[in-house]
Amino acid sequence: MAEGQEVQFIEVSESQQGQRIDNFLRTRLKGAPKSLIYRIVRKGEVRVNKKRIKADYRVQAGDVVRVPPLRLAPESAVKEASESLRNLLAGSVVIEGPDWLVINKPSGLAVHGGSGVKIGLIEALRQVREDLDFLELVHRLDRDTSGCLLLAKNRESLLSLNTALRERRMEKGYLALVQGRWPARRDYVSARLERYDAGNGERRVRVDDNGKVSRTRFAVRETFPKVTLIEAEPVTGRTHQIRVHAAHAGHALLGDDKYGSAEGARIARSLRLDRLFLHALTLTFPDPRTGRPVQARAPLEPGLEKVLERARHGG
């Protein structure tokens, strides 16, 4: 696959101002691996206003960026989003403002490509929303988790929303279906979490006294004969936090192939659940311009609603 057979001259818009040159190029050159971008910058093949720059240079509005002709090997190129994926994402926007958008991320779709994933949500959404010069993830969701995912449309909003996330001024509410009856009195789990290598390059998380402080609030939403629908609010934002904390409490999430149990897998099969039952239902964040709270809500997909109906009737 070829990506630019001629020299390109790209003028930086106001919405793109402040980005590092490597990130600016990564957004504009769909499919170009980071190693290639660093190499052409280091060799001086990328020029800004006819001058050589370093990889940490931040572009300014009005800059003219010279990009050399690039040829990408097929294995390096980002896949074109299929028509079905384009339509799915185009119809998944929950709420949108001038500086941000919230999408109802489908389960099974990684938020970004890499590690064998040729295309993720961010790469596909950039293809769908060609009207936007800038589109970046504010936070992430696990590949198998669905629901509210926030993206920024310009650098200023990205920095503002990242600050809100870091300062815990962003509230996330999840729905999860767990094995067994969750005790109504158990309203939080506080257990330190540590990441470790599970083999084959896979990273997992476990409860460990030497891990990072982690806390999740839980509340029972509905109790069924064999399972419980719970609300979960992560106070901290560790990898796989809700999944590991729930398993640590003795109530693993259904459909969890990393931290679930054999009994949970059996119940999931009886309910015809074929994915992880973890959904980011709500997201509240301060608007970068006004500071006013924005509330987003992503409905459960019909398949999960059907699972709940089966659970109500005892599976």
Side-chain angles (χ1 to χ4, degrees):
M1 171 183 171
E3 177 72 39
Q5 294 301 302
E6 300 176 352
V7 173
Q8 298 181 64
F9 292 92
I10 306 170
E11 184 171 348
V12 178
S13 67
E14 287 190 11
S15 66
Q16 297 165 324
Q17 179 168 289
Q19 293 183 65
R20 278 176 50 126
I21 187 66
D22 52 347
N23 291 331
F24 173 82
L25 292 171
R26 187 165 53 87
T27 301
R28 302 292 299 188
L29 303 176
K30 296 181 177 71
K34 288 182 181 179
S35 57
L36 174 60
I37 289 173
Y38 289 140
R39 186 163 67 247
I40 61 176
V41 170
R42 189 174 63 248
K43 288 184 175 181
E45 296 179 56
V46 173
R47 302 286 178 110
V48 176
N49 303 328
K50 300 183 179 180
K51 297 178 182 178
R52 294 179 67 133
I53 40 83
K54 294 183 179 179
D56 60 356
Y57 174 81
R58 295 189 180 276
V59 297
Q60 303 300 312
D63 279 352
V64 176
V65 181
R66 176 198 183 273
V67 183
L70 298 179
R71 182 176 291 276
L72 303 179
E75 61 271 14
S76 299
V78 170
K79 234 170 82 169
E80 283 294 313
S82 66
E83 193 65 26
S84 60
L85 179 56
R86 283 172 175 268
N87 292 337
L88 176 63
L89 294 181
S92 295
V93 175
V94 173
I95 186 172
E96 183 169 358
D99 305 301
W100 46 263
L101 67 86
V102 178
I103 194 162
N104 187 354
K105 186 190 91 64
S107 175
L109 179 63
V111 292
H112 59 80
S115 302
V117 178
K118 285 295 184 184
I119 188 166
L121 179 142
I122 185 64
E123 292 87 6
L125 200 54
R126 284 172 182 154
Q127 294 177 31
V128 173
R129 295 299 300 268
E130 292 182 324
D131 58 308
L132 301 176
D133 291 329
F134 183 102
L135 192 61
E136 293 288 349
L137 296 162
V138 174
H139 63 108
R140 299 180 182 184
L141 290 176
D142 294 344
R143 180 172 185 164
D144 296 325
T145 304
S146 56
C148 290
L149 183 68
L150 178 61
L151 300 99
K153 294 183 182 180
N154 53 63
R155 179 173 169 75
E156 294 78 10
S157 297
L158 178 64
L159 294 176
S160 173
L161 292 167
N162 279 339
T163 299
L165 184 64
R166 188 170 58 252
E167 294 177 352
R168 298 182 186 175
R169 290 185 286 117
M170 200 173 287
E171 297 177 5
K172 303 175 187 177
Y174 291 77
L175 280 183
L177 192 64
V178 301
Q179 175 187 342
R181 294 203 169 208
W182 187 283
R185 66 184 179 280
R186 181 149 208 178
D187 57 0
Y188 73 89
V189 171
S190 183
R192 289 176 176 266
L193 299 180
E194 177 189 61
R195 297 181 68 173
Y196 70 99
D197 188 349
N200 299 322
E202 184 182 6
R203 301 286 288 175
R204 292 199 186 182
V205 177
R206 62 189 169 200
V207 173
D208 190 285
D209 289 342
N210 296 317
K212 294 180 178 179
V213 172
S214 307
R215 180 169 177 164
T216 308
R217 294 192 185 98
F218 291 99
V220 173
R221 180 148 175 175
E222 194 171 354
T223 301
F224 308 109
K226 300 175 184 176
V227 294
T228 309
L229 182 65
I230 59 171
E231 298 174 0
E233 180 188 343
V235 179
T236 52
R238 312 300 181 201
T239 301
H240 297 171
Q241 177 176 312
I242 294 172
R243 298 163 68 177
V244 178
H245 275 174
H248 180 64
H251 301 278
L253 270 62
L254 294 193
D256 194 339
D257 60 0
K258 286 184 171 63
Y259 308 105
S261 66
E263 174 63 12
R266 188 192 65 75
I267 295 172
R269 285 193 298 273
S270 72
L271 295 174
R272 283 174 272 166
L273 174 65
D274 59 2
R275 52 156 288 191
L276 175 71
F277 201 123
L278 181 60
H279 179 74
L281 182 69
T282 60
L283 177 65
T284 303
F285 59 93
D287 185 276
R289 283 191 200 196
T290 66
R292 294 173 184 163
V294 177
Q295 294 181 322
R297 184 182 182 90
L300 278 178
E301 64 178 56
L304 293 187
E305 291 283 10
K306 289 178 182 177
V307 167
L308 293 180
E309 280 301 314
R310 295 185 195 108
R312 289 185 184 102
H313 295 93

